[in-house]
Amino acid sequence: METWTVETDDGGGQLEVHSFRPVSGASIPGSKAPAEPSGVVVIHGTLVTDSLYWPFARTLSLMLGRPVHCYNRRGRGHSAPQPPGYSADTEIADLQSVMRRTGSTDVVAHSYGGFVALQAARSTKIHRLVTYDAAVSLSGNLHGRWRPELEAAVTAGQLDHAWAHLVQGLGTAGPISYLPMGALRMLSILSAQTRLGLEMRSLLPTAVAEMRAVLDADTHLQDFTSLVTPTLMLSGGWSPSYFAETGRILAGAVPAIDFAIVPLQFHEGPLRPGRRLAARIARFLSGGPVPTASAS
């Protein structure tokens, strides 16, 4: 793995990038050797850093025989903080910078990253795109998921309360999402004793800004009718149903988009061990057949 940085186009600082290649050997960070195939950029979701995607990226690189690049979005690791006026446009510009500097043509994106990628595909040249549980607000369908109490709790420093509202509102933590608020607050306190739990709590302010960006960029079907990037929208069989509903609607209206269910997968599918999801994505990026939407 190589660790290096990409400067942001707005002068706000840098983005931390981690690159995986199918063969060993040193290379100049960010360089693209003449014989090297074009890369793939992985965009992570909210409340996490790109490090959780490293095993997935490494597996995908080996399967494709191509470099795969993960990067920390704003507010994480050694990347620049979220700027004043942060919006979807901030993330789109950052993705464009990473694609340009890494020589990448394809994108794989998870959750909030899927929202960023689909927004970017409307104005950015992407050869092939795969999203998993893309957090797209379509005609206001995610507005009911937003809880004002989340932002108020973050502002007041009540991070356990904020985490509980986030988990209940989004429903992305599987059966845990349906626990009472008191139980969720206790789980937050316990998880804060772990490195990952502590990191998630520290990222709650970024989650507030990212959820607002999704709602502010609320789209309609006609916003995607001109999309030409071949796109595969995937959703976990055990993910919250609203992800699949959005995927089916978009695939039914936009010829460039296909949709499929990935059976036996939760929302955090790309973060879990195993090769099945990576293999499915690799087939699509390699130009293989698109799975049917009825897969279950």
Side-chain angles (χ1 to χ4, degrees), residues 113-195:
F115 156 73
V116 172
L118 283 166
Q119 291 291 331
R122 295 165 57 192
S123 58
T124 305
K125 185 177 181 181
I126 299 175
H127 181 251
R128 286 202 163 213
L129 167 62
V130 180
T131 69
Y132 183 91
D133 282 354
V136 178
S137 182
L138 193 64
S139 300
N141 71 323
L142 293 190
H143 282 258
R145 297 281 170 180
W146 167 254
R147 292 189 175 184
E149 299 92 338
L150 166 62
E151 185 170 7
V154 169
T155 301
Q158 300 171 343
L159 299 185
D160 297 315
H161 197 63
W163 186 85
H165 275 296
L166 182 71
V167 169
Q168 267 199 352
L170 296 181
T172 52
I176 292 175
S177 303
Y178 303 102
L179 291 175
M181 286 292 292
L184 287 173
R185 285 195 296 270
M186 182 57 65
L187 279 178
S188 177
I189 293 171
L190 294 174
S191 70
Q193 308 306 310
T194 68
R195 183 193 62 81

Side-chain angles (χ1 to χ4, degrees), residues 32-268:
K32 179 170 177 285
E36 184 176 74
S38 62
V40 179
V41 173
V42 175
I43 315 176
H44 66 75
T46 197
L47 276 193
V48 293
T49 65
D50 79 323
S51 63
L52 295 182
Y53 296 76
W54 292 354
F56 169 80
R58 186 179 291 110
T59 299
L60 189 61
S61 176
L62 291 171
M63 288 180 173
L64 290 170
R66 297 167 58 188
V68 176
H69 311 278
C70 301
Y71 70 99
N72 270 322
R73 296 190 292 98
R74 305 262 187 144
R76 293 157 174 83
H78 295 290
S79 291
Q82 290 177 332
Y86 168 87
S87 69
D89 290 337
T90 308
E91 296 284 2
I92 292 170
D94 287 351
L95 172 60
Q96 292 170 341
S97 296
V98 174
M99 290 184 69
R100 184 169 60 250
R101 288 282 283 114
T102 58
S104 296
T105 56
D106 295 339
V107 174
V108 177
H110 177 215
S111 194
Y112 181 81
F115 156 73
V116 172
L118 283 166
Q119 291 291 331
R122 295 165 57 192
S123 58
T124 305
K125 185 177 181 181
I126 299 175
H127 181 251
R128 286 202 163 213
L129 167 62
V130 180
T131 69
Y132 183 91
D133 282 354
V136 178
S137 182
L138 193 64
S139 300
N141 71 323
L142 293 190
H143 282 258
R145 297 281 170 180
W146 167 254
R147 292 189 175 184
E149 299 92 338
L150 166 62
E151 185 170 7
V154 169
T155 301
Q158 300 171 343
L159 299 185
D160 297 315
H161 197 63
W163 186 85
H165 275 296
L166 182 71
V167 169
Q168 267 199 352
L170 296 181
T172 52
I176 292 175
S177 303
Y178 303 102
L179 291 175
M181 286 292 292
L184 287 173
R185 285 195 296 270
M186 182 57 65
L187 279 178
S188 177
I189 293 171
L190 294 174
S191 70
Q193 308 306 310
T194 68
R195 183 193 62 81
L196 179 58
L198 189 62
E199 183 177 77
M200 291 178 69
R201 285 163 59 94
S202 71
L203 291 171
L204 277 166
T206 67
V208 171
E210 289 164 6
M211 289 184 68
R212 283 207 169 277
V214 169
L215 300 183
D216 289 345
D218 188 61
T219 53
H220 302 276
L221 279 179
Q222 56 265 32
D223 295 320
F224 293 97
T225 53
S226 60
L227 185 72
V228 296
T229 297
T231 300
L232 174 60
M233 296 186 68
L234 299 173
S235 185
W238 293 336
S239 296
S241 60
Y242 61 86
F243 290 115
E245 290 167 5
T246 298
R248 287 192 181 97
I249 291 171
L250 285 172
V254 183
I257 297 178
D258 289 284
F259 170 76
I261 291 287
V262 184
L264 309 179
Q265 290 280 350
F266 286 103
H267 176 67
E268 66 271 20

